[in-house]
Structures are given as C-alpha cells and as structure tokens.
Amino acid sequence: MLIILNELLYKQAPLQPFSPIVVAADDSERIRVWNYEEGTILNSYSNHEFPDKGISKLCLINELDNILLLAASSDGSIRIWKDYSIRSKQKRQQSGYLFASGELSFTMVWDLDKEQLVNSIPLGAECSVSALCASQIHCGQFAAGFVDGSVRIFDIRTPEMLICATQLHTQSVVEIGFQPGLDPAKIVSASQACDIQFLDVRRHKDTYLTIDAHRGLLTSLAVHRHAPLIASGSARQLIKVFNMEGEQLGTIRYSPTFMAQKIGSLNCLTFHPYQLLLAAGAADRCLCFNLC
C-alpha cells in the first residue's frame, strides 16, 4: 500500500497505535494531523509563534492511554500537546519527565510539571549527540549516538551510569534504537556512511553483525518496536527492509506515479508501534505509507 500526502517538507511522522492517524511537521513548525486511510487532514496548527530552525523531533508519548504529542524545536524549546488530533482543541501538556540532549556534554532531565531541570547526566564525549533513544523495557536505560560515530549506553539507576562506550562508526550516527523483544542489551545504530551495526552491550566493543545498507548517504533508520524488522532510507530515494539477522527482506523504490510525482531524498522513517506499516517522509513534500 502506498499513500502520498502532498504538503510541505516533512521532518517526522509518528503513527498512532490504534487509529489510522499520522502526525507530520515541516520546516515552518506547522503540525498537521492526517487520517492516512482517507488522506484527509484532521487538524493543523503552529507549534511555535516565532519559528526559526524548524522541528528536530516529533514523537508520541503515553501511546496506550491519553496519547500526547511531543514537539522539539531546533531552537531548544520543547512542547507537549494533548488533544492534538481534534481541530482547534489542541492544548499544551505540562506534566511528566523529559530527557533531552544535543550540542551539550550532558543529557538533561526535566520535570515538565514544575518546568525545572532536576538532573544532568554527563555524557563523557567531546562532540554533540546526533541520535538518542530510550529503552522500552527498562526506563532507566538510554543510548546516545554522536557525530563522531561513537555510541554510549547509560543506565541512570547505576552509580556510574555509563555502562558501555564504543566507536561503532566512522561518520555521524543517524539513528539508534533498542532491538525489539525482551532483551534490552542489544541495540541497532546506523551512520551516514551507510553501515548498520548490531551491538550486544554485554560484549561491549564487539559488534556481532554489520550491514552495508546503501551506497552514497544513509539518511534514516527505523527499528520496529515489536517485530524483528528494521528499515533504512537513503538520499537515492531507496528504502531497504531487513530482519535482525541482516537478511534483506525487501526494497522500496519510488518511481513516477500517474500524478507525475516522484519522491525525493528520504528524511525520516517510522514504523507503526504494532502493525507492519512503515511511514516515510521525503524532502519533496511527500509522506508515504507502505505495508511491510
């Protein structure tokens, strides 16, 4: 299945778990909520009154109950929205905790209710973070990928917090994620050099599997939360789907349609939390969906 939603340049596209809804944002920080089965807009609003550099991250939280939308601007501000799919009813949410990092030497822990910084976790790196993810199994664990290609994994419940540090790549980490299932010790990371590395934290610096996914520039990576699937996208309008053994299961190539549209360089990939559905955002104003 391929659905194309023509609008502006999409940066992120999270999918709701139990409804045919996808959220997308563009460089002007305009958020649009779509019904992707009908191809209709449910809601559209501005995340920022004075947008400057666009949105760097868009994701859903509390997915099983009272779903909230997190929008992180490239200027460093973060907003949490509720009722975001109801036209003109979106509201800012200000409760819970938030982990954030970037061009910093530490990860910050924020109390959203008090709007206060409650902790700063040193990263032990000389360069900035390019990718960040949290474990779905152990809430105290998170992994960070850096622009120099290194990867560090932390557990805030331990005294030293840093549990693994290794140089997995030669170029900047594009995305990093914990593997699906009940084993929180394994992660997947991809770099701009087009290599995808599989790491078992218990083996520290040794990767047990490497995939040379693309030629040119790798721009995006998605790890399915429950199914043993990963997908990678390139600047050459190409998506590849792999299993956790490194076997390539399929290739998605974009070609002109009857509407004379051709999808450009891939900006982001997102799996549906539970279904075998993949959303892809491109640099030519298109947002597409594919059944894996």
Side-chain angles (χ1 to χ4, degrees), residues 45-292:
Y45 59 93
S46 295
N47 177 62
H48 204 306
E49 293 181 0
F50 305 101
D52 182 19
K53 299 180 181 178
I55 286 179
S56 60
K57 186 67 175 179
L58 198 66
C59 64
L60 301 179
I61 55 180
N62 291 351
E63 291 179 338
L64 299 181
D65 182 30
N66 228 4
I67 301 179
L68 305 173
L69 176 67
L70 181 149
S73 300
S74 296
D75 65 0
S77 62
I78 294 175
R79 292 168 174 81
I80 310 293
W81 298 91
K82 62 180 179 180
D83 297 331
Y84 59 89
S85 62
I86 304 174
R87 189 174 296 274
S88 302
K89 297 293 185 181
Q90 67 275 356
K91 298 178 181 179
R92 291 271 299 278
Q93 172 74 17
Q94 295 179 332
S95 62
Y97 291 94
L98 174 72
F99 294 84
S101 190
E103 295 182 0
L104 306 167
S105 59
F106 48 86
T107 294
M108 298 180 293
V109 184
W110 291 88
D111 186 318
L112 295 179
D113 184 35
K114 299 179 181 178
E115 296 187 6
Q116 292 180 350
L117 179 66
V118 296
N119 198 1
S120 295
I121 303 171
L123 294 174
E126 297 181 355
C127 57
S128 60
V129 172
S130 57
L132 194 68
C133 73
S135 171
Q136 298 291 326
I137 306 300
H138 297 302
C139 61
Q141 288 188 352
F142 70 94
F146 296 83
V147 296
D148 66 353
S150 63
V151 168
R152 287 171 172 80
I153 303 174
F154 300 84
D155 192 331
I156 62 175
R157 302 166 298 179
T158 62
E160 296 182 354
M161 290 189 282
L162 179 63
I163 61 176
C164 179
T166 182
Q167 188 74 37
L168 290 187
H169 308 280
T170 59
Q171 295 186 27
S172 178
V173 177
V174 172
E175 193 58 77
I176 189 170
F178 285 85
Q179 291 189 28
L182 299 178
D183 190 349
K186 295 182 178 180
I187 64 169
V188 183
S189 68
S191 80
Q192 292 179 344
C194 296
D195 60 318
I196 302 175
Q197 302 288 351
F198 293 71
L199 175 69
D200 189 328
V201 177
R202 294 163 296 193
R203 296 172 57 183
H204 296 289
K205 297 182 179 181
D206 296 327
T207 56
Y208 63 90
L209 179 63
T210 298
I211 300 175
D212 294 322
H214 300 274
R215 294 180 180 178
L217 180 67
L218 187 146
T219 57
S220 53
L221 177 78
V223 181
H224 200 289
R225 185 176 301 178
H226 298 287
L229 295 173
I230 63 172
S232 62
S234 76
R236 296 187 175 184
Q237 305 161 291
L238 181 66
I239 298 174
K240 293 184 179 180
V241 181
F242 302 90
N243 61 20
M244 289 301 165
E245 286 71 47
E247 178 185 1
Q248 184 173 329
L249 303 179
T251 300
I252 303 170
R253 295 179 182 272
Y254 292 114
S255 58
T257 68
F258 70 97
M259 298 178 65
Q261 294 171 324
K262 188 175 182 180
I263 296 177
S265 174
L266 273 299
N267 278 350
C268 62
L269 292 172
T270 305
F271 276 112
H272 189 282
Y274 304 107
Q275 300 180 22
L276 298 182
L277 183 65
L278 178 67
D284 65 348
R285 310 187 312 168
C286 291
L287 178 64
C288 305
F289 299 87
N290 296 273
L291 286 173
C292 297

